[in-house]
Amino acid sequence: MEEEHPMKLSDKKATLTFSDGSQGAEFPVYEGTIGPSVVDIRKLYAQTGMFTLDPGFMSTAACSSSITYIDGDKGELLYRGYPIEQLAVKCDFLETSYLILNGELPNAKQKADFEHLVTHHTMVNEQLQFFLRGFRRDAHPMAVLTGLVGALSAFYHDSIDITQPKHREISAIRLIAKMPTLVAMAYKYSVGQPYVYPKNDLSYTGNFLRMMFATPCEEYVVNPVIERALDRIFILHADHEQNASTSTVRLCGSSGTNPFAAIAAGVACLWGPAHGGANEAALQMLEDLLAAGGVDKLGEFVAKVKDKDSGVRLMGFGHRVYKNYDPRAKLMQETCREVLEAMGLQDDPLFKLAMALEKIALEDDYFVQRKLYPNVDFYSGIVQRAIGIPTQLFTAIFALARTVGWIAQWDEMISDPDYKIGRPRQLFTGSPARDVPDLGKR
């Protein structure tokens, strides 16, 4: 996999002083290739006896990384230096995966070899079918997927010596290859249909669509418009720097656990509605709005969104990182229109409602001033519904795409000579030490 990039020491230093005149400290500053520099506070506690406090890690870099760069103010997302807008148009998902894992885009031979390697690892052990039967049919796909990914370590323990780069590479390929098979199995189980085995002559995304929607009764033909749309969704979700689930994978992996366990932890974190569940929440909002009267009631809904006391939230708009337009959303917006047109769904009431809401958000001063633009979740939810993917499965599709980012970030951490087990500190605000009174005196 990709070689490490050493951190670059700045000529500048940071000095910490205290207003009461107590001992201060000086810290080195490191510069990134682009983006903010960092103050290295590793010796802060040793020098001052204090920790920093940063809930939500709003100003803390927990690692150095050369994989993904985001500039939220500019609305910029780069994988290994390449803008997402170019990758989503010029590359497919497996090319993008190769780039994220190896640091450079593949040439024609490398691309063919990588595709062959991934394609020939897509089958999963037959025993996993029996594992699935332990779940209720109506179990949330993310509950099923968390279990299935964690269970992989029981089947592939031949390659989980994480100190060996070759083992890490084999585990990465296995996870990327098998994730679509697991997601499709979780879906088929929930609808009571037989599992469909992967086919080696289809593309990564075409294969996934066939495993999802084929039945033994008739041959499934992959629609190229839908295949390209879903492939683009995969590319746009492949990595997103140090977000909650990626940080979870790194923290879990820092204990030296096997990669399957670390990725299962990432899947569990992604499940939350504030993270991967956002597109599910966005579509649920649209469905609720449709049931309440649709386009005719849009004015009332928007008025409630603007009223802080109403408790009504606009889902699928704005982003914690992007203070401008989400660069992924623009690409997804085009894909959304292509898919609706290809499937003749422009007049579907839910999609008409979504487009009407989008128009208001892009033109209404309230939303424009607050930069509440539609984000990638808003459009990807609409596209997935049009394709026929049930809302409950959206986050599992996200997990499928993000697996390559998770495994690349995990590998980068394990390869880093500075890596240590993650151990955040705290500001303790509970009771000081006290004696336990006898039972009769409490």
Side-chain angles (χ1 to χ4, degrees):
M1 294 211 188
E2 205 258 342
E3 288 173 21
E4 59 180 273
H5 292 255
M7 297 196 296
K8 185 186 169 200
L9 191 61
S10 168
D11 298 334
K12 192 166 56 173
K13 284 194 165 52
T15 308
L16 177 67
T17 56
F18 297 101
S19 57
D20 65 355
S22 57
Q23 177 72 41
E26 195 175 71
F27 304 107
V29 173
Y30 287 97
E31 293 172 357
T33 319
I34 38 176
S37 298
V38 298
V39 178
D40 181 353
I41 57 162
R42 280 178 281 192
K43 298 216 167 98
L44 175 73
Y45 180 61
Q47 290 180 353
T48 68
M50 290 187 186
F51 301 134
T52 55
L53 177 66
D54 186 18
F57 306 104
M58 303 295 281
S59 300
T60 300
C63 63
S64 67
S65 178
S66 61
I67 300 171
T68 303
Y69 175 74
I70 297 168
D71 186 323
D73 295 327
K74 285 189 194 162
E76 185 176 65
L77 170 62
L78 310 175
Y79 292 165
R80 301 287 192 182
Y82 293 107
I84 192 71
E85 299 89 318
Q86 293 177 30
L87 290 170
V89 172
K90 295 183 174 180
C91 300
D92 62 28
F93 177 65
L94 282 187
E95 263 177 288
T96 308
S97 297
Y98 183 97
L99 167 71
I100 288 170
L101 288 172
N102 299 294
E104 296 297 339
L105 284 164
N107 60 30
K109 184 181 185 309
Q110 288 167 331
K111 181 178 190 291
D113 290 349
F114 186 70
E115 283 172 355
H116 183 270
L117 189 61
V118 171
T119 301
H120 286 79
H121 279 86
T122 47
M123 279 183 66
V124 297
N125 192 295
E126 202 74 354
Q127 288 289 107
L128 279 167
Q129 294 192 18
F130 304 112
F131 184 81
L132 258 169
R133 286 182 199 169
F135 292 97
R136 286 170 53 125
R137 290 270 179 195
D138 61 357
H140 194 287
M142 288 299 277
V144 175
L145 196 61
T146 307
L148 286 175
V149 175
L152 286 177
S153 56
F155 294 97
Y156 302 108
H157 45 73
D158 61 325
S159 64
I160 52 179
D161 179 354
I162 62 165
T163 61
Q164 301 292 325
K166 191 71 194 161
H167 280 214
R168 297 203 299 271
E169 192 180 330
I170 292 166
S171 294
I173 296 296
R174 280 178 168 159
L175 275 156
I176 294 162
K178 294 177 195 308
M179 199 59 116
T181 312
L182 296 180
V183 173
M185 284 172 78
Y187 170 65
K188 286 296 197 188
Y189 181 74
S190 71
V191 291
Q193 289 182 7
Y195 305 117
V196 175
Y197 290 104
K199 259 187 116 172
N200 290 351
D201 59 350
L202 292 173
S203 74
Y204 185 84
T205 307
N207 196 16
F208 174 64
L209 283 164
R210 183 179 170 274
M211 288 191 289
M212 282 283 292
F213 299 119
T215 62
C217 328
E218 56 187 315
E219 199 39 58
Y220 176 82
V221 181
V222 178
N223 177 330
V225 176
I226 291 172
E227 182 180 13
R228 182 71 197 126
L230 194 57
D231 199 71
R232 186 170 279 187
I233 285 176
F234 291 168
I235 291 170
L236 298 181
H237 288 89
D239 197 46
H240 210 239
E241 209 217 75
Q242 306 308 318
N243 53 79
S245 58
T246 301
S247 301
T248 299
V249 170
R250 278 182 175 265
L251 190 58
C252 182
S254 76
S255 72
T257 189
N258 70 77
F260 303 104
I263 301 300
V267 174
C269 178
L270 190 70
W271 192 351
H275 193 2
N279 49 15
E280 196 174 328
L283 208 71
Q284 191 60 56
M285 174 193 74
L286 288 171
E287 282 170 354
D288 292 347
L289 195 50
L290 191 63
V295 177
D296 296 341
K297 298 284 182 186
L298 211 45
E300 283 176 38
F301 173 74
V302 169
K304 281 181 190 163
V305 168
K306 292 176 183 179
D307 177 6
K308 278 206 300 280
D309 302 324
S310 70
V312 174
R313 285 185 64 206
L314 187 64
M315 306 303 290
F317 288 76
H319 195 280
R320 175 166 156 182
V321 172
Y322 297 111
K323 303 303 175 223
N324 206 313
Y325 204 82
D326 180 342
R328 303 169 302 168
K330 241 186 180 67
L331 295 155
M332 218 52 240
Q333 184 189 45
E334 292 164 27
T335 301
C336 189
R337 283 168 168 62
E338 282 168 22
V339 168
L340 296 184
E341 205 171 300
M343 304 192 73
L345 289 168
Q346 304 96 315
D347 295 328
D348 179 283
L350 188 103
F351 298 131
K352 276 184 119 165
L353 174 64
M355 296 304 116
L357 182 56
E358 175 202 46
K359 192 171 189 307
I360 290 171
L362 293 177
E363 293 172 6
D364 187 305
D365 275 351
Y366 177 88
F367 298 109
V368 174
Q369 281 168 12
R370 286 166 178 75
K371 298 190 174 173
L372 287 173
Y373 302 112
N375 60 32
V376 70
D377 299 309
F378 179 74
Y379 295 112
S380 74
I382 295 165
V383 170
Q384 288 180 75
R385 185 181 183 271
I387 289 170
I389 295 165
T391 315
Q392 270 208 320
L393 208 70
F394 288 179
T395 318
I397 304 273
F398 191 157
L400 186 172
R402 184 56 58 82
T403 295
V404 64
W406 286 334
I407 203 74
Q409 297 267 357
W410 168 82
D411 181 69
E412 183 180 60
M413 176 192 68
I414 300 291
S415 313
D416 185 347
D418 281 344
Y419 123 81
K420 292 178 174 61
I421 183 168
R423 177 61 172 88
R425 302 298 197 161
Q426 65 174 19
L427 172 66
F428 181 69
T429 56
S431 169
R434 49 186 173 166
D435 294 322
V436 177
D438 294 336
L439 186 58
K441 292 182 181 172
R442 289 180 217 161

